[in-house]
Amino acid sequence: EAQVTQNPRYLITVTGKKLTVTCSQNMNHEYMSWYRQDPGLGLRQIYYSMNVEVTDKGDVPEGYKVSRKEKRNFPLILESPSPNQTSLYFCASSRDRALSGANVLTFGAGSRLTVL
Amino acid sequence: GQNIDQPTEMTATEGAIVQINCTYQTSGFNGLFWYQQHAGEAPTFLSYNVLDGLEEKGRFSSFLSRSKGYSYLLLKELQMKDSASYLCAVRERGGSQGNLIFGKGTKLSVKP
């Protein structure tokens, strides 16, 4: 089944304790992206990657890191989490970032993170 | 700048028709998407418009007017399972080439 898999789905952690949210897709997609979703703010892009070893900042990159060493994986790293990073996180992928066509984003199931 | 507006909440009755509007102002335009998101779940793709006009897909239709920066999603024969948030997203042409900008979503409640 074609899918985007995120782990963990739920996590409660404490301020300053480094954590990684993994994301893996099995569709050979070139483009991958991380979003956070907060009440009243909608989906906001954190980082995106157009291909292996190519990453770029989205609208809210502060406090996050990413890497894209393999095409299928795009982990999100919080080096020193803070309470304002408590949110619902979604990883998404698409075939490419082509400027034409219904290049649809496929989303993972989400990771609900709470930082105390 | 980028701005996408849609109503925060709407309520409709089972079996009825509802129209969810979306207006946008972006520095370039290369397509508009509608996604459905049930509470606590991932957004799923509903429709895509890049040219003016109406796209129909079963009970769901989406309309686009590029000159007015306006789109709507039309849901017919509403069912209880249509209770969800509906996200309007615009793909820009230009600097951020192809990234989607999402609106804040419209939470639709369908009542019996």
Side-chain angles (χ1 to χ4, degrees), chain B residues 75-107:
Chain B
L75 292 75
K76 302 176 188 174
E77 300 169 16
L78 279 173
Q79 302 174 9
M80 299 299 290
K81 67 178 183 180
D82 297 329
S83 292
S85 288
Y86 292 86
L87 313 181
C88 173
V90 173
R91 183 168 61 202
E92 291 191 309
R93 179 190 295 274
S96 37
Q97 295 190 44
N99 280 330
L100 286 186
I101 311 298
F102 283 87
K104 294 177 183 176
T106 299
K107 184 178 179 181

Side-chain angles (χ1 to χ4, degrees), chain A:
Chain A
E1 182 189 349
Q3 59 186 359
V4 178
T5 304
Q6 300 178 221
N7 280 296
R9 294 287 317 281
Y10 302 91
L11 180 64
I12 301 174
T13 189
V14 295
T15 300
K17 186 176 181 183
K18 179 179 178 179
L19 68 93
T20 298
V21 186
T22 63
C23 174
S24 180
Q25 49 92 4
N26 62 0
M27 297 167 281
N28 202 36
H29 282 172
E30 292 191 354
Y31 180 85
M32 297 186 75
S33 182
W34 276 102
Y35 296 87
R36 60 178 288 174
Q37 188 173 38
D38 303 286
L41 296 178
L43 276 167
R44 294 180 294 166
Q45 189 177 48
I46 303 170
Y47 269 95
Y48 63 94
S49 169
M50 292 197 303
N51 213 329
V52 176
E53 301 293 1
V54 180
T55 64
D56 212 341
K57 296 178 181 178
D59 296 320
V60 288
E62 294 78 22
Y64 305 95
K65 286 173 59 176
V66 292
S67 68
R68 188 91 182 271
K69 296 184 176 128
E70 308 161 284
K71 198 170 189 178
R72 63 184 294 127
N73 295 323
F74 191 44
L76 179 70
I77 303 156
L78 286 73
E79 293 271 3
S80 183
S82 62
N84 65 12
Q85 292 179 297
T86 292
S87 187
L88 178 59
Y89 291 87
F90 287 102
C91 180
S93 72
S94 68
R95 187 189 69 236
D96 52 43
R97 209 176 61 166
L99 295 183
S100 62
N103 194 10
V104 174
L105 275 176
T106 300
F107 285 84
S111 296
R112 188 168 291 282
L113 172 65
T114 301
V115 183
L116 301 175

